[in-house]
Amino acid sequence: MTSKKILWPAIVICAILVAGVAYWLISPFWISNTVEEALPIVPTSEEMGAGIITTSTVETVSQGSFTGFDAVHYGSGTARIITVDDKTYVRFEEDFSVANGPDLFVGFGKDGEYSKKSEVGRLKGDKGSQNYELPNGFDSEKYNEVWIWCRAFGVPFAKAELR
């Protein structure tokens, strides 16, 4: 009789854990997040206070269009590597869209091979314009693709070949 009393709480706890993991894995399929980030240009407070308007120099280093890998892992839209003054960013334009999934990250690859060491951040949203600052010393010249990668399952969702 006592073994049945001990077994029920364990079953309930396991059921709660399984339900939580299942929700984390499948909720991205119906939850969408649209991001609308402007270009990363910020005037200094001195410029704003003095009424001086300066324009940061935005240069496109390379760009490409996202494509998916299959009917479940798909993406579209424009990715650009840009420099703004002395910083470098990966920029997804307003037309960006990707299949949502768990644990998605932005990273780089070369010639169809994803580099896990190149991840620059968790994907902010499955739609819309987004900026990801590249760390100082990051050599974007080593890569020719921007990837959306699912860390949880180790699968690609989309990539943009840069030109």
Side-chain angles (χ1 to χ4, degrees):
M1 190 77 161
T2 58
S3 65
K4 289 183 180 181
K5 288 182 182 180
I6 295 172
L7 188 59
W8 279 108
I11 291 172
V12 170
I13 290 171
C14 286
I16 290 170
L17 288 174
V18 167
V21 169
Y23 177 79
W24 177 75
L25 289 172
I26 64 172
S27 66
F29 292 112
W30 68 80
I31 296 174
S32 181
N33 186 21
T34 300
V35 179
E36 296 178 9
E37 288 186 334
L39 281 169
I41 301 170
V42 180
T44 66
S45 58
E46 297 165 359
E47 292 170 339
M48 292 187 329
I52 301 170
I53 300 173
T54 60
T55 305
S56 293
T57 304
V58 179
E59 292 183 34
T60 299
V61 176
S62 58
Q63 72 179 35
S65 295
F66 278 102
T67 58
F69 288 88
D70 55 40
V72 177
H73 307 103
Y74 58 87
S76 63
T78 307
R80 295 191 303 153
I81 305 297
I82 61 171
T83 58
V84 180
D85 299 327
D86 61 346
K87 295 184 179 184
T88 305
Y89 297 85
V90 176
R91 166 120 176 123
F92 299 165
E93 296 300 339
E94 295 82 15
D95 63 349
F96 171 73
S97 178
V98 69
N100 207 352
D103 210 23
L104 297 182
F105 279 78
V106 177
F108 288 86
K110 183 165 180 81
D111 300 329
E113 293 291 323
Y114 179 68
S115 172
K116 291 180 183 172
K117 294 185 233 177
S118 70
E119 289 177 353
V120 294
R122 182 177 295 278
L123 185 69
K124 297 174 184 177
D126 60 324
K127 294 181 178 132
S129 56
Q130 303 169 44
N131 303 308
Y132 299 89
E133 185 175 345
L134 301 179
N136 288 337
F138 186 88
D139 186 7
S140 62
E141 299 288 321
K142 285 178 30 179
Y143 306 101
N144 61 1
E145 301 159 337
V146 175
W147 287 62
I148 307 299
W149 184 264
C150 175
R151 263 196 202 171
F153 294 104
V155 296
F157 269 56
K159 74 175 176 180
E161 293 183 26
L162 302 171
R163 291 176 189 77

